[in-house]
Amino acid sequence: MKIAILGTRGVPNFYGGFEQFAEFFSVFLTEKGHEVYVYNSHNHPHQEKTFKGVNILHQYDPEHKIGTAGQFIYDLNCILDSRKRNFDIILQLGYTSSSVWYFLLPKKAIVITNMDGLEWKRTKYSKAVQKVLLFAEKLAVKSSDYLVSDSIGIQNYIQKKYNKNSTYIAYGANQFTHPAEAILSEYQVESYHFNMILARLEPENNIETILDGVVLSRDKTIMLVIGNHNTKFGNYLKEKFQSTPTIRFVGAVYNLEHLDNLRYFSNLYFHGHSVGGTNPSLLEAMASKALIIAHKNEFNSAILKGNAYYFSNAEDVKKIITEIKKNDNLRLIQNNFDAIANEYNWNTINGKYVQFFEDCITKNK
């Protein structure tokens, strides 16, 4: 198959979840003998024309100059280029800035869209932007030949709202098996004597609720907050909790080895995400043997099932912090670790995508 991957800033990953998937999946496809092309921003750090056998197509991306609007231009450039490549399949990762150009997609290619999460529900967007994103979601559902949902919750939502089927294929992770306790010294914490949050500092990730619970608990355990805090909401949180010395705003950490070790050696790992599908950081926490305290919603519970503790408000957080210890919950941790090996490992996920692609091509003959 001749396959294109659109919708990311490019590979190798220097940004986020879709980029991580695009990197793993494109290399997997290449190793299986397929001809694979990934679209990269023109200013991506990797400027070579190939990456581990994957063809890289750099396209002009003005996001660094004009902000979010630049993503629409970048996606337009990628789609226009795809018209002259004669692809069998175009995999679009997300839809927020690409679905408006659906009428320009090549007619002969099979267009498959991973629907990501419920972007229009994110509270960081104004009401006007939320309406635009909801319209973009509708366009993506309407214009794609096939849809992929990376969580059961998203699959149910698409079926209920649009009466359209989507294929459930989760995200993946690699089991973490080489802990290095020495890394903790860089963060001035000791093994199993700190709690942590790892997330973008946005309201829908329930960071304020978690930190309110920390204050209520009066617990002396250090709480690391990992994520870029130099934002409007980040500054608000820093000001609100400045008088609680146990709460430490670490900033963004992109070193996967460091993140894996922090998760592994944490006491409680809080996952407050409430909007979207299978969040990559949740699977990585499972793969790092973290004891997960998750916001109670269908996206999280579909993955974690009974192998986590759940919170809905600050009182729940307070109770969990004061009563729950990692060493008392090794069975839950092992169940999540086994789930990565059995359900969410990258080879399994990539294999499901390839099988799905082959099925789509067969249906379209």
Side-chain angles (χ1 to χ4, degrees):
M1 293 180 283
K2 186 176 181 181
I3 300 164
I5 299 177
L6 284 74
T8 78
R9 287 166 169 81
V11 301
N13 175 29
F14 284 90
Y15 185 75
F18 270 152
E19 284 77 10
Q20 189 73 80
F21 167 62
E23 178 179 333
F24 289 153
F25 185 44
S26 61
V27 172
F28 179 88
L29 286 169
T30 300
E31 290 173 349
K32 297 295 181 185
H34 301 288
E35 186 180 350
V36 187
Y37 296 78
V38 176
Y39 283 91
N40 278 27
S41 296
H42 77 281
N43 54 5
H44 189 280
H46 183 80
Q47 286 292 307
E48 305 297 320
K49 292 187 177 180
T50 61
F51 172 75
K52 295 185 178 180
V54 177
N55 298 291
I56 304 298
L57 299 171
H58 291 92
Q59 297 295 314
Y60 179 65
D61 176 5
E63 185 182 3
H64 64 294
K65 287 185 176 179
I66 62 174
T68 303
Q71 295 177 19
F72 289 85
I73 297 171
Y74 170 58
D75 282 338
L76 172 61
N77 290 336
C78 295
I79 287 171
L80 290 175
D81 184 84
S82 74
R83 293 167 63 88
K84 56 191 180 188
R85 302 279 179 180
N86 200 28
F87 292 122
D88 297 311
I89 287 176
I90 292 176
L91 174 63
Q92 295 189 122
L93 300 177
Y95 59 83
T96 53
S97 52
S98 62
S99 64
V100 293
W101 310 117
Y102 75 92
F103 57 93
L104 293 171
L105 285 161
K107 298 293 185 282
K108 290 184 179 179
I110 298 171
V111 177
I112 299 171
T113 304
N114 181 314
M115 291 301 293
D116 198 9
L118 304 178
E119 295 300 304
W120 59 271
K121 276 194 171 185
R122 295 191 186 278
T123 52
K124 68 177 180 179
Y125 297 124
S126 67
K127 294 293 183 185
V129 172
Q130 287 178 335
K131 286 184 178 180
V132 170
L133 292 174
L134 184 58
F135 179 65
E137 176 187 273
K138 183 177 180 180
L139 285 179
V141 170
K142 180 180 178 181
S143 62
S144 301
D145 295 308
Y146 299 96
L147 302 175
V148 173
S149 298
D150 69 9
S151 82
I152 298 297
I154 295 295
Q155 185 184 46
N156 291 339
Y157 166 79
I158 292 170
Q159 181 64 53
K160 186 175 180 180
K161 186 171 181 67
Y162 298 105
N163 193 30
K164 186 159 182 176
N165 294 326
S166 63
T167 298
Y168 167 60
I169 307 177
Y171 197 79
N174 292 319
Q175 287 181 313
F176 175 62
T177 56
H178 295 91
E181 195 170 353
I183 286 171
L184 299 182
S185 64
E186 295 190 34
Y187 300 89
Q188 298 177 306
V189 291
E190 298 178 4
S191 55
Y192 311 116
H193 286 85
F194 68 96
N195 302 324
M196 66 179 287
I197 308 167
L198 169 61
R200 290 179 182 163
L201 273 58
E202 296 171 355
E204 63 268 15
N205 290 337
N206 288 288
I207 295 163
E208 185 173 11
T209 299
I210 296 166
L211 297 182
D212 282 339
V214 171
V215 174
L216 285 175
S217 74
R218 298 186 178 179
D219 189 79
K220 301 304 181 187
T221 306
I222 291 167
M223 170 66 83
L224 298 183
V225 182
I226 300 175
N228 177 20
H229 51 69
N230 295 316
T231 62
K232 183 179 178 182
F233 189 64
N235 290 330
Y236 160 75
L237 291 175
K238 284 185 289 187
E239 184 174 347
K240 177 174 179 178
F241 297 105
Q242 63 182 337
S243 60
T244 307
T246 54
I247 297 174
R248 294 186 191 168
F249 289 88
V250 176
V253 177
Y254 296 111
N255 186 315
L256 187 58
E257 183 187 8
H258 284 213
L259 293 175
D260 283 338
N261 277 286
L262 287 168
R263 288 183 281 236
Y264 182 91
F265 287 110
S266 65
N267 176 45
L268 306 178
Y269 176 94
F270 285 87
H271 181 79
H273 296 64
S274 62
V275 176
T278 303
N279 186 271
S281 67
L282 177 57
L283 295 184
E284 289 166 357
M286 294 164 67
S288 301
K289 290 194 170 181
L291 176 60
I292 299 169
I293 318 299
H295 181 263
K296 190 173 183 179
N297 61 66
E298 66 173 327
F299 304 112
N300 294 334
S301 61
I303 301 296
L304 294 163
K305 304 180 175 65
N307 299 307
Y309 290 90
Y310 294 94
F311 72 92
S312 298
N313 52 53
E315 282 291 339
D316 292 343
V317 173
K318 171 192 171 183
K319 185 177 175 64
I320 289 167
I321 286 175
T322 54
E323 296 181 5
I324 305 303
K325 298 297 179 191
K326 185 169 192 172
N327 286 341
D328 298 331
N329 292 278
L330 299 182
R331 174 41 56 192
L332 304 188
I333 293 166
Q334 188 62 45
N335 288 345
N336 284 330
F337 193 67
D338 292 343
I340 297 299
N342 299 328
E343 298 177 57
Y344 302 112
N345 71 84
W346 278 118
N347 277 341
T348 299
I349 299 303
N350 289 337
K352 286 182 178 180
Y353 264 97
V354 172
Q355 184 61 57
F356 179 55
F357 284 7
E358 290 172 349
D359 292 345
C360 292
I361 284 179
T362 300
K363 288 176 188 175
N364 279 54
K365 282 183 177 177

